[in-house]
Amino acid sequence: MFDGGLIGQVFLVILIAVIAIFVLVILFRSIRIIPQASAGIVERLGKYHKTLMPGLNILVPFIDRLRPLIDMREQVVSFPPQPVITEDNLVVSIDTVVFFQVTDARAATYEIANYLGAVEQLTTTTLRNVVGGLNLEEALTSRDNINGQLRVVLDESTGKWGIRVGRVELKAIDPPVSIQDSMEKQMRAERDRRALILTAEGTKQSAILTAEGARQAAILSAEGDAKAQVLRAQGEAEAITTVFQAIHAGGPSADLLAYQYLQTLPKIAEGDSNKMWIIPSELTEALKGISEGFLGGKGPAPK
């Protein structure tokens, strides 16, 4: 009897423990906490039931099943280089970076099996279509145009998958090595040509400025000489006028004038080019007056 009571107690303890574990399992399977910027798809008996939002959510155990969470943040995917043939039959290698975001977790789960792989393949095919209509130079200089066309096509195609393509960037466009060498030689020749043009322009401007400076200097020198001559002429005119007025005011005699003329003769003779003197007829009369003044009327005047 004692053994039967002990067995019953042990069985009761085991039963309570099993029930407690079952309750804990049910609670664990019923409560789901979804982190921020994530979404969960709930299937009830294999069929879509609802989309769980961030926070605390309650499920029906053994009936509802939660699929792997989907990241709702914007994602950046860099695809490996893709060989693309341009319009002028050159093969270029293009690296692409796609920025996209899942906007509808249900569509991203049920409308496409692998949306990341689908975006990669769609980007590759669209890139080949866009770049295939451009030559190499246009492909290298039209990145913004290519990015815009890729974004429009990808956004339209991925909209039904619950994905929004924010932008597409071409990370690198690598032409063949031979084309790179030719482009480098062309750019080097273009830089040399521009350097020669700039040097010639600088020489031309320097010559023009030098000639302009010489012309201005000559003009200013001529203007200075003209003004100096005018000022000298004005000064000489004023001096002659002053002397003339002084002579008239002093009333000089013929003897005084003759004496002054005799004093001036040596200065006239100083010039090397003076070969002939012109003596006015009045000088004889003036000299006669001087001699008479010195001799006091004693003797005849020199002839």
Side-chain angles (χ1 to χ4, degrees):
M1 185 68 181
F2 177 77
D3 293 338
L6 181 60
I7 294 174
Q9 291 179 0
V10 172
F11 178 76
L12 181 61
V13 171
I14 294 174
L15 180 60
I16 293 174
V18 170
I19 294 174
I21 293 174
F22 181 74
V23 171
L24 292 176
V25 171
I26 291 177
L27 291 176
F28 178 77
R29 295 180 63 90
S30 300
I31 299 175
R32 288 290 186 271
I33 298 177
I34 306 300
Q36 185 66 35
S38 298
I41 300 298
V42 177
E43 295 179 347
R44 177 165 291 181
L45 300 178
K47 184 179 179 180
Y48 171 76
H49 177 59
K50 63 179 179 179
T51 301
L52 300 183
M53 294 293 104
L56 180 64
N57 296 270
I58 304 298
L59 302 180
V60 178
F62 307 106
I63 297 178
D64 293 341
R65 184 175 72 92
L66 180 64
R67 294 179 65 93
L69 299 181
I70 297 176
D71 194 346
M72 304 297 290
R73 296 172 297 179
E74 186 173 13
Q75 303 180 43
V76 181
V77 179
S78 178
F79 299 133
Q82 300 293 329
V84 180
I85 301 177
T86 61
E87 187 180 19
D88 45 359
N89 296 325
L90 293 176
V91 180
V92 296
S93 180
I94 301 180
D95 293 350
T96 311
V97 179
V98 179
F99 299 79
F100 69 94
Q101 183 179 12
V102 177
T103 57
D104 187 351
R106 179 182 179 278
T109 302
Y110 296 106
E111 297 296 335
I112 187 71
N114 182 6
Y115 60 83
L116 187 58
V119 170
E120 179 180 359
Q121 296 301 321
L122 184 59
T123 301
T124 301
T125 55
T126 306
L127 182 63
R128 288 175 178 173
N129 291 334
V130 174
V131 178
L134 304 174
N135 55 41
L136 179 59
E137 185 176 357
E138 291 175 345
L140 294 174
T141 58
S142 303
R143 291 196 178 191
D144 292 339
N145 185 24
I146 297 174
N147 294 339
Q149 294 185 39
L150 287 175
R151 190 192 66 79
V152 171
V153 174
L154 291 176
D155 196 24
E156 291 178 355
S157 301
T158 58
K160 61 181 181 180
W161 302 338
I163 297 174
R164 180 184 64 83
V165 177
R167 62 185 183 275
V168 181
E169 298 290 342
L170 300 183
K171 187 166 61 175
I173 301 178
D174 299 327
V177 177
S178 59
I179 301 299
Q180 292 182 14
D181 294 338
S182 300
M183 293 173 63
E184 290 179 359
K185 292 179 181 178
Q186 181 180 359
M187 292 302 299
R188 190 179 303 112
E190 181 67 20
R191 286 193 295 268
D192 294 340
R193 184 183 69 85
R194 292 180 181 178
L196 291 175
I197 291 175
L198 292 176
T199 302
E201 288 290 337
T203 304
K204 176 183 175 182
Q205 292 295 329
S206 177
I208 291 174
L209 292 177
T210 302
E212 184 67 21
R215 186 178 71 87
Q216 293 292 336
I219 292 174
L220 294 176
S221 178
E223 291 178 352
D225 293 340
K227 290 181 179 179
Q229 291 178 5
V230 170
L231 293 176
R232 282 196 299 269
Q234 291 177 352
E236 292 176 358
E238 292 178 358
I240 292 171
T241 302
T242 303
V243 172
F244 183 77
Q245 292 176 355
I247 292 173
H248 279 277
S253 62
D255 298 339
L256 179 60
L257 293 176
Y259 179 73
Q260 290 293 330
Y261 183 79
L262 290 175
Q263 288 184 337
T264 308
L265 288 178
K267 294 181 180 179
I268 297 176
E270 288 179 358
D272 295 336
S273 61
N274 295 330
K275 303 299 182 181
M276 180 178 64
W277 296 357
I278 299 175
I279 301 175
S281 60
E282 291 81 359
L283 179 60
T284 305
E285 298 296 334
L287 292 174
K288 185 186 295 185
I290 294 173
S291 63
E292 291 177 355
F294 283 110
L295 298 175
K298 299 178 180 179
K303 294 184 181 180

